């Protein structure tokens, strides 16, 4: 028995230790980040986050994601809207003087999220600010971001202009975002838009307005499906 235990113990000692994951060196990606590649900034951030789970809370990490956003990385700009607590980006996103140049730069580098963020920092300002916000929101909307269309609609309405076209983009664009779209869909549905009525019906059926919760209303959903069907939305006729 003793020999058997010794044999088993010797086998245990010969089993190789579990290999630890080896991640790429972030240094080359940091160099590419400094050279102006937004994705490299985000990738370097991810590598350092894997090595240290608390990395994202550091000033270095926030600065890295700010650079990534300014270079047009939608994913990096999105981090500034995250609702996790603690949120190290709060001090940045609520500091207009600090973040507006970052968001403007990101918009110029074709980040639809950055255009939307910059518009939000300007929409309650002077007449010139609101006109710039309108242009930024339009660019976000044209790049397919529903929230950009919703913000464009809000600014148009505040300026006394017709927001219907922007509301249509807010209602059934291809990237839902975080802003509520119920009112936009309702306005477009009232203009006899079948797709808007169908999208509004889905909201009441699912209890979701994009990323936001909504009280379910099966009766209202059925009525909206019926109206969408009458207006020509074939998918609504099958509900």
């Amino acid at each position: 028995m003793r020999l058997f235990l010794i044999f088993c113990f010797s086998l245990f000692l010969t089993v190789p230790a579990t290999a630890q994951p080896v991640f790429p060196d972030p240094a080359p990606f940091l160099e590419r980040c400094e050279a102006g590649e937004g994705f490299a900034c985000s990738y370097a951030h991810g590598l350092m986050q894997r090595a240290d789970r608390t990395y994202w809370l550091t000033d270095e990490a926030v600065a890295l994601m700010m650079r990534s956003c300014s270079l047009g990385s939608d994913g990096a700009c999105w981090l500034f809207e995250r609702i996790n607590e603690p949120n190290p980006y709060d001090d940045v996103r609520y500091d207009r003087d600090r973040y507006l140049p970052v968001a403007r730069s990101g918009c110029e580098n074709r980040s639809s999220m950055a255009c939307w963020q910059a518009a939000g920092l300007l929409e309650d300002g002077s007449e010139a600010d609101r006109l710039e916000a309108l242009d930024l929101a339009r660019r976000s909307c044209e790049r397919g971001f529903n929230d950009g269309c919703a913000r464009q609609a809000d600014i148009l309405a505040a300026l006394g202009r017709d927001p219907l076209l922007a509301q249509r983009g807010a209602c059934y664009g291809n990237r839902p975002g975080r802003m509520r779209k119920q009112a936009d869909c309702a306005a477009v549905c009232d203009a006899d838009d079948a797709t808007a009525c169908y999208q509004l019906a889905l909201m009441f059926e699912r209890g979701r307005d994009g990323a936001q919760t909504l009280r379910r209303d099966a009766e209202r959903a059925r009525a909206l499906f019926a109206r969408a069907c009458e207006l020509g939305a074939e998918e609504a006729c099958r509900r």
Side-chain angles (χ1 to χ4, degrees):
M1 183 66 179
R2 174 187 252 177
L3 289 175
F4 177 76
L5 291 173
I6 293 173
F7 174 73
C8 291
F9 184 67
S10 65
L11 286 177
F12 172 78
L13 292 177
T14 60
V15 174
T18 303
Q20 295 299 312
V22 178
F23 301 117
D25 182 359
F29 298 98
L30 288 170
E31 291 177 4
R32 286 160 56 184
C33 173
E34 286 301 314
E37 185 181 333
F39 172 78
C41 303
S42 297
Y43 194 72
H45 181 285
L47 291 175
M48 289 187 281
Q49 175 68 20
R50 290 181 187 180
D52 177 4
R53 287 189 172 186
T54 65
Y55 175 74
W56 74 289
L57 295 167
T58 65
D59 290 341
E60 178 186 344
V62 174
L64 190 57
M65 295 312 282
M66 286 179 70
R67 176 159 178 78
S68 184
C69 177
S70 72
L71 292 170
S73 171
D74 255 3
C77 299
W78 181 255
L79 283 182
F80 291 91
E81 297 305 316
R82 67 190 303 162
I83 57 176
N84 295 357
E85 293 294 343
N87 186 345
Y89 303 99
D90 275 350
D91 290 342
V92 176
R93 65 178 176 167
Y94 294 128
D95 186 339
R96 171 175 158 153
D97 291 339
R98 184 181 180 193
Y99 190 51
L100 181 56
V102 174
R104 278 178 170 147
S105 176
C107 183
E108 290 301 318
N109 282 300
R110 302 197 58 77
S111 166
S112 59
M113 167 63 70
C115 294
W116 172 75
Q117 290 170 323
L121 292 169
L122 291 164
E123 65 178 331
D124 295 323
S126 65
E127 181 77 8
D129 284 346
R130 286 188 292 164
L131 291 175
E132 182 184 356
L134 181 59
D135 179 63
L136 290 162
R138 175 190 58 77
R139 290 158 70 180
S140 178
C141 180
E142 289 177 350
R143 291 169 187 168
F145 187 37
N146 296 38
D147 279 7
C149 303
R151 181 151 282 159
Q152 182 187 11
D154 289 345
I155 299 169
L156 284 168
L159 292 171
R161 303 183 190 179
D162 184 3
L164 188 63
L165 186 61
Q167 287 175 317
R168 181 171 287 114
C171 179
Y172 55 85
N174 60 7
R175 291 174 56 201
R178 296 199 59 82
M179 294 177 69
R180 290 191 179 276
K181 313 300 189 309
Q182 179 185 343
D184 295 310
C185 287
V188 183
C189 178
D190 287 344
D192 295 332
D193 185 299
T195 303
C197 294
Y198 179 68
Q199 290 298 323
L200 189 59
L202 290 176
M203 288 182 188
F204 285 109
E205 180 184 61
R206 298 169 177 171
R208 299 293 297 178
D209 180 353
Q212 309 294 329
T213 57
L214 175 73
R215 184 180 296 276
R216 290 185 179 181
D217 189 331
E219 184 176 347
R220 190 168 181 187
R222 282 193 296 271
L224 285 163
F225 280 133
R227 185 174 184 199
C229 177
E230 291 173 1
L231 291 170
E234 294 183 5
E235 60 270 39
C237 301
R238 296 190 289 270
R239 304 304 292 243

